[in-house]
């Protein structure tokens, strides 16, 4: 029997798992359109490979990985590309992002699928394929898997952990996956073990999922993978928390788990690795729990890009549904609209209603009761972080390890004053990142400015030297004579541009081609916008 | 011919050496305080502080010849940091030097640009690309938003565009919620 370790704190919110965990995974029907964001992973957005009007096959790569931390996106079904442009995406900001919209033709015609003989390939080659299969962590963090599977200079990562804890309330997609698609999860784990050269494979599952544990144990018996039931305690499914529970090891503050010889993946990621490597199927669908204020909560296998609206309709949301939470109630966020698509990160959609998720009572001042510190799984001092973030003392917040905060919400959950603590941490992190970006820009500007000064200095000198050489050799050219034609040329150009501008301004432009008219309109609109912005600027100081 | 070439090469080498030497000498003589102040200044190089760039302003502050509240792009936060560094009390921005504005970049109207190169000469960070008589373009990533290129343009074709937030630059807002008075 393995000795388990315990992380600090944690909370035990109502589980709400049984609502959606009793029925098997259903296949969501083909939606009317698929909106595929090019950025579904952490890192660089994928580069589009298709054009509007192109026909695509199911599984065809439509966005190419761009840079080291990036992965591909694929057409989830066969059809035609009907649009490429900004569309709403599941993000707390509500800002749109670049998406490829596909109108399905209903034929579901696949590209050629070629399984990989991964054992005879070099790990680098396999990882390249995983990148092109679009694999990213399906637990919600969507970090490109091929990056995590890179050994780099290491000979091996001794411990591979599969995360099947699924500690957030309401979510049951991993539970159902482990019960129903056990074999492929285990096969995926074997591939990952091979790539990482790992000695042991540990699979951690919270003990509130006995069927999943039993199924996984049965399938792992001959692979000699160890399936470990861990006590149900939120957030045991946090990567660092599960690592601590299973191995007793903790990566250093700001460090990575590979620093301590551990790499951790979600069970659904292992499943998708097996589908990709053994069946040649890129990541075009995932299991999504649809639950909350609906009449028929259930898990669905959903094509990525399916509009949330069409998916949740399958579960019959009740009339008082107010919106949808993506992810769990602890770490998820309310979707800006139900027009956004399901992405690689969408593990769960919870229909919310005022009855199910009543608004928090008005907040009170912090009484420094330190209940938050007792609950924090990362051993932080949430009340201090709150204080510094609130006072915009970002340097102090960083000193108190703000960036180790996993935004699990345990502190929020226990705070008797109902302070939205995590919102403060997100705010502080955002400000710190923005300052970091500003600093980088300032450094670039300083460098370029200094370079320019040097260049001007050099040019001045060169000119002086040339002049000196010339005056010695032949007669000195008059500086004025040189300047005058230049001035005249500029003046002439000004006149020309004035004429040109006058020609652009008039509205009686009937006999111009349509495109030119459109262009003029666009430019005019932009100008008007700019003018407005310029006028507004003085009274909107940046805070 | 070959002597001319040799002279040119020799000249280039010599100038390179002079430059390199100057750079090193410059680095050594520059006081660490100036560097620390310069590191706080936003490097917009706009001259609103009354000095021809951030470094000269930093030098003046270090010499006690300029106040700390003259840089509008740095805003209140910049002043606070300067005050902290110099151990003095922060004060409000001196309105004489202008007001802070949201981050903007210059945009050249391609239809009007006459390719006069005057804006290139004005840009303190070489963020404008173009050759004589050809359309000029601003490299948005490198533009500091200093507005120095606007006055010299003979055909008024440069305007400032406020930088819009996107997914990469979006930040969580300061929390707003109901508070019960205790
Ligand atoms: S739990 Fe709430 S009230 Fe108590 S110390 Fe933490 S932030 Fe303050
Ligand atoms: S949200 Fe951050 S500070 Fe709060 S309990 Fe979780 S890790 Fe700790
Ligand atoms: S006002 Fe402009 S030039 Fe002066 S320090 Fe500030 S950014 Fe630099
Ligand atoms: S392009 Fe214009 S606004 Fe931008 S840095 Fe150069 S001179 Fe300043």
């Amino acid at each position: 029997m393995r000795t388990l370790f315990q992380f600090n704190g944690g909370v035990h919110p109502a589980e709400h798992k049984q609502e959606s965990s009793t029925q098997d995974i259903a296949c969501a029907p083909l939606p009317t359109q698929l909106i595929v964001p090019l950025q579904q992973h952490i890192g660089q957005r994928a580069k589009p490979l298709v054009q509007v009007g192109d026909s695509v096959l199911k599984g065809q790569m439509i966005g190419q990985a761009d840079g080291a931390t990036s992965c591909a996106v694929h057409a989830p079904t066969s059809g035609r590309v009907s649009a490429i442009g900004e569309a709403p995406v599941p993000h707390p900001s509500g800002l749109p992002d670049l998406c490829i919209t596909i109108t399905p033709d209903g034929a579901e015609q696949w590209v050629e699928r070629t399984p990989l003989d991964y054992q005879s390939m070099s790990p680098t080659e396999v990882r390249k394929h995983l990148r092109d299969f679009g694999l990213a962590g399906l637990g919600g963090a969507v970090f490109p898997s091929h990056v995590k599977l890179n050994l780099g200079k290491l000979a091996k990562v001794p411990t591979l952990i599969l995360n099947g804890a699924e500690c957030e309330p309401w979510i049951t997609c991993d539970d159902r996956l482990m019960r129903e698609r056990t074999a492929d999860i285990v096969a995926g784990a074997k591939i990952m073990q091979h790539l990482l050269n790992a000695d042991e494979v540990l699979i951690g599952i919270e003990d509130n999922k006995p069927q999943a544990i039993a199924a996984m144990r049965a399938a792992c018996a001959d692979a000699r993978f160890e399936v470990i039931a861990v006590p149900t305690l939120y957030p045991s499914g946090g990567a660092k928390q599960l690592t601590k529970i299973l191995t007793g090891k903790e990566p250093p503050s700001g460090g990575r788990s590979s620093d301590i010889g551990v790499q951790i993946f979600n069970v659904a990621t292992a499943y998708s690795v097996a589908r990709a490597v053994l069946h040649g199927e890129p990541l075009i669908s995932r299991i999504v729990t649809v639950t909350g204020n609906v009449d028929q909560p259930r898990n669905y296998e959903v094509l990525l890009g399916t509009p949330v609206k069409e998916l949740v309709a399958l579960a019959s949301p009740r009339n008082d549904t107010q919106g949808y939470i993506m992810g769990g109630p602890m770490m998820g966020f309310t979707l800006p609209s139900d027009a956004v698509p399901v992405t690689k990160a969408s593990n769960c959609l919870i229909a919310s209603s005022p009855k199910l998720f009543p608004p928090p009572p008005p907040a009170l001042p912090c009484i420094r009761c330190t209940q938050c510190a007792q609950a924090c799984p990362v051993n932080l001092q949430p009340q201090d972080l709150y204080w510094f973030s609130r006072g915009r003392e970002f340097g102090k917040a960083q000193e108190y390890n703000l960036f180790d905060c996993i935004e699990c919400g345990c502190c929020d959950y226990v705070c008797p004053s109902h302070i939205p603590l995590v919102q403060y941490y997100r705010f502080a992190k955002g400000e710190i990142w923005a300052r970091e970006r500003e600093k980088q820009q300032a450094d670039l500007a300083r460098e370029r400015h200094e370079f320019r000064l040097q260049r001007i200095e050099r040019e001045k000198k060169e000119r002086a030297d040339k002049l000196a050489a010339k005056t010695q050799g032949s007669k000195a050219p008059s500086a004025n004579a040189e300047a005058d034609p230049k001035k005249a040329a500029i003046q002439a150009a000004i006149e020309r541009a004035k004429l040109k501008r006058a020609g652009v301004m008039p509205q009686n432009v009937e006999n111009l081609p349509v495109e030119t008219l459109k262009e003029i309109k666009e430019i005019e609109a932009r100008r008007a916008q700019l003018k407005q912005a310029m006028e507004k600027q003085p009274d909107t100081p940046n805070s | 011919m070959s002597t001319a070439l040799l002279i040119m090469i020799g000249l280039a080498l010599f100038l390179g050496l002079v430059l390199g030497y100057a750079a090193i000498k410059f680095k050594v003589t520059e006081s660490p305080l100036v560097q620390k102040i310069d590191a706080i200044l936003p490097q917009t190089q706009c001259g609103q502080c009354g000095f021809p760039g951030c470094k000269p302003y930093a030098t003046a502050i270090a010499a006690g010849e300029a106040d700390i509240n003259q840089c509008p792009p740095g805003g209140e936060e910049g002043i606070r940091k300067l005050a902290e560094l110099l151990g003095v009390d922060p004060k409000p921005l001196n309105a004489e030097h202008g007001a802070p504005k949201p981050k903007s970049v210059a945009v050249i109207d391609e239809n009007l640009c006459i390719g006069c190169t005057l804006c290139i000469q004005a840009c303190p960070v070489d963020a404008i690309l173009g050759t004589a008589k050809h359309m000029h373009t601003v490299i948005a990533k490198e533009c500091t938003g200093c507005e120095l290129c606007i006055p010299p343009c003979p055909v008024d074709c440069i305007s400032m565009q406020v930088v819009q937030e996107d997914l990469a630059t979006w930040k969580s807002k300061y929390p707003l919620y109901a508070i019960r008075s205790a």
Side-chain angles (χ1 to χ4, degrees):
Chain A
M1 206 55 227
R2 178 173 279 271
T3 17
L4 296 184
F5 299 82
Q6 219 191 335
F7 59 86
N8 177 64
V11 293
H12 201 143
E15 289 177 22
H16 289 292
K17 300 272 194 186
Q18 67 295 341
E19 282 91 334
S20 56
S21 67
T22 49
Q23 274 184 298
D24 55 0
I25 300 169
C27 205
L30 204 58
T32 51
Q33 59 169 0
L34 289 149
I35 309 150
V36 187
L38 285 158
Q39 172 102 61
Q40 297 189 43
H41 48 263
I42 300 273
Q44 291 280 104
R45 182 207 275 153
K47 263 198 302 221
L49 290 178
V50 289
Q51 278 168 347
V52 177
D54 284 2
S55 292
V56 290
L57 293 174
K58 188 180 175 89
Q60 180 182 330
M61 194 195 286
I62 53 173
Q64 189 181 27
D66 186 12
T69 311
S70 179
C71 60
V73 294
H74 301 80
T77 184
S78 58
R80 266 165 54 87
V81 176
S82 50
I84 300 178
E86 301 224 306
V89 291
H91 190 271
S93 67
L95 290 169
D97 198 19
L98 194 58
C99 297
I100 297 178
T101 307
I102 293 169
T103 309
D105 60 11
E108 292 268 45
Q109 199 186 343
W110 271 95
V111 285
E112 201 188 324
R113 281 164 284 177
T114 23
L116 303 181
D117 180 12
Y118 71 92
Q119 267 158 331
S120 66
M121 294 166 90
S122 76
T124 315
E125 227 174 307
V126 179
R127 288 193 302 109
K128 221 176 89 209
H129 277 102
L130 293 180
R131 181 195 68 194
D132 293 342
F133 277 131
L135 281 160
L138 296 180
V142 280
F143 194 82
S145 304
H146 71 278
V147 181
K148 275 169 80 179
L149 287 166
N150 189 1
L151 277 176
K153 290 196 188 76
L154 302 172
K156 65 174 166 189
V157 172
T159 307
L160 167 65
I161 297 178
L162 283 202
N163 187 346
E166 201 165 55
C167 59
E168 271 237 29
W170 293 99
I171 311 179
T172 60
C173 55
D174 292 345
D175 181 9
R176 290 305 322 187
L177 190 81
M178 287 188 283
R179 289 198 224 176
E180 295 178 38
R181 307 194 182 173
T182 327
D184 270 337
I185 297 177
V186 177
K190 279 184 191 155
I191 299 166
M192 289 171 160
Q193 181 186 27
H194 172 78
L195 291 174
L196 291 174
N197 207 2
D199 300 325
E200 55 172 1
V201 178
L202 312 177
I203 302 168
I205 306 171
E206 271 193 350
D207 57 13
N208 60 358
K209 292 180 264 297
Q211 290 105 320
I213 295 172
M216 290 295 290
R217 282 213 168 117
C220 288
D222 49 280
R224 284 189 291 139
F225 295 168
E226 202 177 332
V227 178
I228 303 151
V230 303
T232 299
L233 179 70
Y234 180 82
S236 67
K240 287 182 181 166
Q241 284 64 42
L242 189 62
T243 305
K244 168 91 193 255
I245 295 173
L246 296 181
T247 66
K249 294 183 201 165
E250 276 176 271
S253 168
R256 281 173 298 182
S257 56
S258 56
D259 296 345
I260 50 164
V262 177
Q263 198 52 277
I264 179 163
F265 291 91
N266 187 269
V267 283
T269 314
Y271 169 77
S272 298
V273 166
R275 292 311 299 177
V277 174
L278 305 179
H279 305 272
E281 289 171 17
L283 183 57
I284 54 165
S285 68
R286 66 156 299 143
I287 315 293
V288 185
T289 307
V290 185
T291 184
N293 194 40
V294 294
D295 282 330
Q296 286 147 353
R298 191 169 188 177
N299 282 289
Y300 289 92
E301 171 146 26
V302 186
L303 294 179
L304 303 175
T306 301
V308 162
K309 195 184 176 127
E310 293 190 37
L311 173 61
V312 292
L314 303 174
S316 322
R318 298 190 188 120
N319 286 336
D320 58 339
T321 298
Q322 264 184 333
Y324 296 92
I325 298 169
M326 190 175 112
M330 300 293 285
M331 293 182 75
F333 61 93
T334 301
L335 289 176
S337 97
D338 60 4
V340 302
V342 164
T343 65
K344 294 175 187 177
S346 320
N347 49 0
C348 178
L349 292 167
I350 308 175
S352 72
S353 70
K355 224 171 92 201
L356 216 49
F357 298 101
L364 283 165
C366 169
I367 51 171
R368 299 195 73 82
C369 64
T370 69
Q371 283 186 41
C372 49
Q374 283 156 36
C376 176
V378 197
N379 289 315
L380 299 174
Q381 297 294 325
Q383 74 283 12
D384 292 337
L385 290 178
Y386 156 66
W387 192 252
F388 296 136
S389 304
R390 197 178 114 125
R392 297 171 200 258
E393 291 182 63
F394 302 123
K396 270 281 208 258
Q398 255 176 302
E399 266 172 48
Y400 277 67
N401 296 326
L402 172 68
F403 282 97
D404 284 350
C405 165
I406 57 169
E407 299 177 20
C408 65
C410 290
C411 48
D412 267 23
Y413 186 79
V414 297
C415 176
S417 293
H418 306 292
I419 303 168
L421 297 165
V422 179
Q423 285 186 38
Y424 279 101
Y425 310 149
R426 289 195 180 135
F427 158 72
K429 286 180 185 177
E431 290 295 323
I432 293 168
W433 282 323
R435 277 167 182 66
E436 189 54 39
R437 279 196 299 272
E438 270 165 28
K439 190 164 168 343
Q440 276 170 10
Q441 276 169 355
D443 287 346
L444 177 73
R446 182 184 297 112
E447 201 178 290
R448 291 184 69 88
H449 182 60
E450 273 165 14
F451 179 78
R452 179 186 151 87
L453 292 181
Q454 282 185 13
R455 195 198 67 211
I456 289 173
E457 198 56 37
R458 190 187 61 217
E459 281 171 2
K460 225 194 251 163
K461 204 154 196 168
E462 276 171 8
R463 233 176 333 202
D465 287 350
K466 235 198 225 152
L467 199 66
K470 257 190 189 162
T471 24
Q472 271 174 11
S474 62
K475 51 195 183 299
S478 143
N480 278 344
E482 211 180 288
D484 277 341
K486 208 171 176 185
K487 251 190 198 153
I490 291 173
Q491 197 52 42
I494 293 174
E495 296 306 323
R496 271 201 308 279
K498 266 192 189 148
L499 279 180
K500 201 166 157 194
R501 185 141 60 135
V504 174
M505 291 301 208
Q507 293 301 308
N508 55 342
V509 280
E510 281 91 9
N511 48 2
L512 284 178
V514 191
E515 297 96 79
T516 320
L517 281 176
K518 213 174 123 203
E519 216 176 66
I520 292 174
K521 228 185 176 163
E522 269 169 17
I523 292 168
E524 290 293 353
R526 210 172 68 206
R527 249 205 222 114
Q529 211 185 333
L530 281 175
K531 254 208 189 123
Q532 247 183 2
M534 297 259 286
E535 276 158 16
K536 247 195 266 158
Q537 267 174 29
D539 44 43
T540 46
N542 50 6
S543 47
Chain B
M1 187 63 215
S2 62
T3 30
L5 203 68
L6 275 178
I7 288 172
M8 285 314 285
I9 291 173
L11 205 66
L13 277 177
F14 171 70
L15 284 173
L17 277 176
V18 167
L19 256 183
Y21 175 70
I24 292 164
K25 185 153 169 85
F26 193 54
K27 277 258 153 64
V28 172
T29 49
E30 182 181 287
S31 90
L33 182 61
V34 172
Q35 270 180 28
K36 275 187 199 151
I37 297 173
D38 192 48
I40 294 173
L41 297 176
Q43 306 302 318
T44 310
Q45 315 293 0
C46 60
Q48 288 182 83
C49 50
F51 294 88
C54 302
K55 182 66 78 46
Y57 178 41
T59 315
I61 294 180
E65 287 158 9
D67 215 337
I68 58 169
N69 61 346
Q70 304 184 357
C71 169
E76 300 294 337
E77 182 157 339
I79 297 173
R80 217 192 58 226
K81 281 191 191 152
L82 286 175
E84 228 166 76
L85 174 70
L86 301 170
V88 295
D89 283 336
K91 44 175 95 175
L93 185 69
N94 185 346
E96 261 173 46
H97 294 274
K101 294 176 186 177
K103 167 98 172 101
S104 306
V105 292
V107 178
I108 296 180
D109 187 331
E110 313 86 78
N111 283 0
L112 293 178
C113 172
I114 54 172
C116 68
T117 75
L118 288 176
C119 56
I120 297 191
Q121 292 163 38
C123 179
V125 291
D126 288 340
I128 305 180
L129 271 187
T131 24
K133 299 203 186 99
H134 284 83
M135 201 260 284
H136 287 24
T137 323
V138 176
I139 313 168
K141 237 173 70 193
E142 282 161 12
C143 170
T144 66
C146 70
E147 303 188 4
L148 290 181
C149 51
I150 293 187
C153 178
V155 292
D156 282 343
C157 73
I158 311 180
S159 49
M160 300 304 293
Q161 200 158 25
V162 177
V163 178
Q164 299 295 332
E165 203 170 40
D166 63 15
L167 280 189
T169 56
W170 179 79
K171 325 180 257 192
S172 287
K173 302 290 170 290
Y174 193 83
L176 289 176
Y177 53 93
I179 299 177
R180 192 167 18 148
S181 45

